[in-house]
Amino acid sequence: VQLVESGGGLVQPGGSLRLSCTASGLPFSSYHMNWYRQPPGKEREWVAGIISAGEISAVGTLIYADFVKGRFTISRDNAKKTVYLQMNNLKPEDTAVYYCYAVNGLGSSHGKYWGQGTQVTVSS
């Protein structure tokens, strides 16, 4: 199993970036997909999640941490096995390494995987 993030970089405050995470080696549509981030010197924190196709009643449900609501949008393309994080109106405090995290819809004991991370730096 491999999760590969891309799309990070240096952006000015108020700017936008779109992160991508492409999975291989797992039944992507059966996995809840999440984005986490780890700011410099701080703990890793959850950013956003999107429910797998296995949760019929909640398929596609999007959930966000309060500090990114209204600015970040998570989406997924099951055909491409890719999850995206569109980040708008970026702030210096959004500077972090962003990680993709996949959790099996049946529970983490059935599979959970991290990507290697991609650096996002928001600075003028």
Side-chain angles (χ1 to χ4, degrees), residues 18-107:
R18 188 175 83 153
L19 305 183
S20 300
C21 169
T22 300
S24 60
L26 57 76
F28 182 78
S29 63
S30 298
Y31 276 71
H32 304 321
M33 298 302 298
N34 296 270
W35 286 97
Y36 279 74
R37 70 185 187 185
Q38 187 164 15
K42 296 185 178 180
E43 298 281 316
R44 191 173 297 190
E45 59 188 5
W46 173 78
V47 174
I50 184 166
I51 303 300
S52 74
E55 293 281 348
I56 301 301
S57 63
V59 62
T61 295
L62 314 177
I63 43 177
Y64 299 95
D66 286 343
F67 53 79
V68 301
K69 282 182 180 177
R71 300 188 299 124
F72 291 10
T73 302
I74 188 172
S75 61
R76 66 190 295 163
D77 185 331
N78 287 337
K80 295 182 178 179
K81 295 188 175 183
T82 299
V83 61
Y84 304 97
L85 186 68
Q86 177 67 45
M87 306 185 295
N88 297 327
N89 190 21
L90 283 160
K91 305 175 181 181
E93 53 263 41
D94 295 317
T95 295
V97 178
Y98 283 73
Y99 297 90
C100 177
Y101 179 55
V103 181
N104 191 293
L106 296 176

Side-chain angles (χ1 to χ4, degrees), residues 7-13 17 19 40 87 90-98 118-124:
L10 174 64
V11 63
Q12 292 187 342
L17 283 174
L19 305 183
M87 306 185 295
L90 283 160
K91 305 175 181 181
E93 53 263 41
D94 295 317
T95 295
V97 178
Y98 283 73
T118 185
Q119 176 70 47
V120 171
T121 302
V122 185
S123 175
S124 55

